[in-house]
Amino acid sequence: MADQESSMAKYEYFRKVDAVCDLFQMAIATGANSPGELDIPMLMQVLPEYHASLVPQIHPEVIESILKPKNKNTIVAHMSAVKRFVGDLASRIDEGQPVIYNFAVTTPEIFLGMDMIPVCYELLPIYIAATFVGGVDDDIDTTEDEGLPGHICSAQKAPNGAIKSGKMPLPDLLVKSTVPCNSSNMMYQWAQQEYGGELILLDSPYYANRRAFDYYLEEWKNMVKQVEKTTGRTLDEGLLRHHVELGNEQLSYLYRLQELRRQVPNPDPGMHRALDVAALYLSGVNREMVEYTKICFEEAQGRAERGESILPAGKKEIRTVWTWGLTPHMIYLPDWLEDNYGMSFLECGLSFLPADIVGYVDTSSIDSMIEGLAWRSFHMPMGRTGMTHADVMIEDFVGIAKSYHADAAVFSGHMACKHSWAVAKMLGDALQEQAGIPSFKWETDLLDTRFTPHASAKAQLAEFFETLI
Ligand code: SF4
């Protein structure tokens, strides 16, 4: 391998995400609390050439948000975890590990237990879209140039385009639960057809009952056998337990944060929710990601004990539940809404995991760990509420609205999630009737910055929140 280009240098998505981690950490390490306090000319002089070339492309609003005292420690911790993950992933690929892409409802522990580092197909574009103006728009266009329509999901269009352009490695294996949408199922099949490798599908039942889970568990066991056969690796009980324990510990802080966000005032900044989605996709991957969730929890707990708000002094809190997703290419949006309108972010449909139902993975045996991971996957965001009776999503969010004392709901409808648009009206009505709160629905796209431009998104949300002040 000595004379070959390393994966970190070769694949732009790896290199760019790694550089984002460095840039955010360096900016925060200066001690600046706002962009005006940053000595940009001095920083540009000390930055490596590649890093410096990225600086002009970064959203100014993102810099403003990450430097705030309420956000900076958690951002540093999150970026440490991501840097370690991307570095380890690139090294393992250099050493000859198969390239494994998994869909977002499957956390990585099962593959880590086979001594392989997978990458969630939808993960790396989140960081790039969150950081840079125009984020992954080029990669979305690359996929659409192949004849795929604009109205399918950018969460797959972006990585598909990145592989086509050589910014991400070709797959050896794609692992896809067939929940929640036909769009994502077909996009994985298209990726396999275009780029090769093997596609392993976990047939995901429509229902959410025990019989359905037993069927899904059998699918999980078959998936483990297929991955072992394809890769020649074997699931190691000790290694699996190590990563499952890390994942359990990580979730313990996530669950406690969910409890803390029920308090008035909400002590937890909303910008972290997008990072929590990514952390969930990397559950159990390394100790650093546990530290990220731990710091989020400890900082929020400290504020709760002191009765401190995350809002500017004197702002009335508008406690808001985000009933579908958030918008990763506007990662600064919750922070902007906190400062300007007093919005506080309670939960969202892409990061909420019901603690009383999902709980922890039982580490007593290899079978119990496989079952526990399958159970979590069965209830992951997009999986739990995306393809079953609407009652599940409605009961989850009405329950959150009541127990978190919500004042309002926002449905940030991702353009491609056709199924969620169908439930949005029923959900809004239920929130009004059962929790007494209004819902605002707006159209966005998870990663495509052009679908609803930032200025338009801000104007629409501002109009809604102004009615609640
Ligand atoms: S559920 Fe929505 S966000 Fe998830 S893959 Fe399908 S279209 Fe994309």
Side-chain angles (χ1 to χ4, degrees):
M1 295 296 294
D3 54 352
Q4 285 184 16
E5 192 180 17
S6 73
S7 293
M8 184 61 81
K10 184 174 176 186
Y11 300 117
E12 190 184 320
Y13 266 32
F14 291 2
R15 192 177 183 202
K16 213 166 189 177
V17 171
D18 179 72
V20 168
C21 296
D22 293 338
L23 288 167
F24 283 10
Q25 289 180 309
M26 286 175 78
I28 293 168
T30 62
N33 289 321
S34 68
E37 292 176 24
L38 278 177
D39 187 347
I40 304 271
M42 186 279 289
L43 276 174
M44 292 295 269
Q45 278 178 12
V46 298
L47 285 173
E49 192 179 339
Y50 177 70
H51 290 56
S53 73
L54 297 176
V55 170
Q57 304 169 40
I58 300 176
H59 277 294
E61 293 95 333
V62 173
I63 299 293
E64 192 175 333
S65 294
I66 66 166
L67 291 177
K68 287 182 183 165
K70 66 181 174 183
N71 292 324
K72 56 171 54 171
N73 293 336
T74 48
I75 297 288
V76 166
H78 189 88
M79 291 306 164
S80 297
V82 174
K83 186 171 173 67
R84 162 105 191 262
F85 163 69
V86 179
D88 288 349
L89 173 67
S91 302
R92 289 299 191 89
I93 292 172
D94 289 343
E95 289 160 18
Q97 181 210 280
V99 175
I100 301 175
Y101 290 111
N102 63 287
F103 183 52
V105 306
T106 308
T107 51
E109 295 94 327
I110 205 83
F111 310 103
L112 295 165
M114 296 181 205
D115 203 17
M116 297 182 289
I117 300 179
V119 57
C120 170
Y121 202 54
E122 292 76 15
L123 177 74
L124 297 183
I126 292 178
Y127 291 105
I128 297 171
T131 308
F132 300 106
V133 175
V136 291
D137 292 351
D138 285 354
D139 304 311
I140 292 168
D141 289 348
T142 300
T143 297
E144 292 185 9
D145 286 347
E146 295 296 308
L148 287 145
H151 53 81
I152 54 176
C153 186
S154 54
Q156 285 90 41
K157 278 189 294 188
N160 278 2
I163 294 174
K164 170 104 8 210
S165 313
K167 297 177 187 174
M168 293 219 297
L170 293 167
D172 293 306
L173 200 55
L174 295 144
V175 179
K176 172 75 171 72
S177 297
T178 60
V179 75
C181 58
N182 288 339
S183 172
S184 58
N185 289 336
M186 294 304 151
M187 287 299 281
Y188 273 70
Q189 290 180 49
W190 185 79
Q192 192 273 334
Q193 184 178 298
E194 281 291 299
Y195 306 130
E198 185 174 341
L199 172 62
I200 297 176
L201 295 170
L202 285 110
D203 192 23
S204 311
Y206 187 85
Y207 293 98
N209 56 29
R210 183 70 212 188
R211 185 163 162 255
F213 175 68
D214 288 345
Y215 175 82
Y216 189 60
L217 178 56
E218 284 309 306
E219 286 291 298
W220 255 72
K221 289 176 181 170
N222 288 336
M223 177 270 284
V224 172
K225 282 188 199 141
Q226 284 183 70
V227 175
E228 287 182 328
K229 189 170 164 223
T230 303
T231 61
R233 310 275 178 126
T234 314
L235 195 54
D236 178 275
E237 184 170 345
L239 200 52
L240 178 63
R241 184 170 290 111
H242 167 69
H243 289 287
V244 167
E245 283 171 353
L246 285 178
N248 277 345
E249 194 178 343
Q250 186 179 321
L251 289 192
S252 76
Y253 293 114
L254 182 79
Y255 294 154
R256 281 183 273 177
L257 268 171
Q258 291 179 348
E259 282 299 317
L260 283 173
R261 288 199 291 273
R262 292 169 197 238
Q263 297 202 16
V264 183
N266 173 6
D268 193 22
M271 189 183 188
H272 307 164
R273 294 296 74 70
L275 303 181
D276 290 352
V277 176
L280 208 48
Y281 297 166
L282 288 168
S283 172
V285 78
N286 55 40
R287 167 58 54 191
E288 287 84 344
M289 197 52 91
V290 179
E291 287 303 311
Y292 158 70
T293 47
K294 184 171 181 232
I295 289 172
C296 287
F297 165 71
E298 288 175 347
E299 291 206 339
Q301 186 184 40
R303 284 187 205 100
E305 285 168 359
R306 296 187 297 274
E308 263 176 41
S309 170
I310 44 148
L311 304 175
K315 270 274 185 246
K316 177 192 152 199
E317 183 177 7
I318 305 174
R319 300 173 61 79
T320 308
V321 54
W322 293 66
T323 50
W324 184 230
L326 27 71
T327 304
H329 68 79
M330 295 187 76
I331 193 173
Y332 65 86
L333 182 65
D335 187 59
W336 181 80
L337 288 169
E338 282 167 10
D339 280 7
N340 288 284
Y341 300 97
M343 189 283 301
S344 88
F345 198 118
L346 303 175
E347 293 293 350
C348 86
L350 278 180
S351 58
F352 177 65
L353 209 55
D356 54 336
I357 294 169
V358 179
Y360 299 101
V361 176
D362 175 356
T363 58
S364 55
S365 70
I366 207 154
D367 287 342
S368 73
M369 288 188 276
I370 290 174
E371 180 166 348
L373 291 169
W375 179 248
R376 186 196 299 159
S377 169
F378 196 60
H379 292 287
M380 278 284 278
M382 282 201 295
R384 175 177 167 76
T385 52
M387 189 181 74
T388 186
H389 291 159
D391 304 15
V392 176
M393 187 168 174
I394 291 170
E395 283 171 16
D396 274 2
F397 282 99
V398 169
I400 291 168
K402 288 179 173 173
S403 59
Y404 287 60
H405 319 289
D407 301 306
V410 174
F411 183 90
S412 288
H414 173 46
M415 164 280 296
C417 296
K418 309 302 181 204
H419 48 286
S420 68
W421 277 108
V423 81
K425 168 68 175 146
M426 288 188 281
L427 179 57
D429 289 350
L431 286 164
Q432 184 67 64
E433 286 159 15
Q434 297 175 43
I437 61 169
S439 292
F440 175 66
K441 303 179 194 71
W442 68 293
E443 288 184 272
T444 181
D445 188 287
L446 292 177
L447 300 172
D448 193 326
T449 66
R450 300 153 298 184
F451 185 82
T452 302
H454 289 204
S456 168
K458 284 178 171 176
Q460 291 179 58
L461 287 158
E463 197 174 343
F464 173 64
F465 283 106
E466 270 163 11
T467 67
L468 301 172
I469 289 175

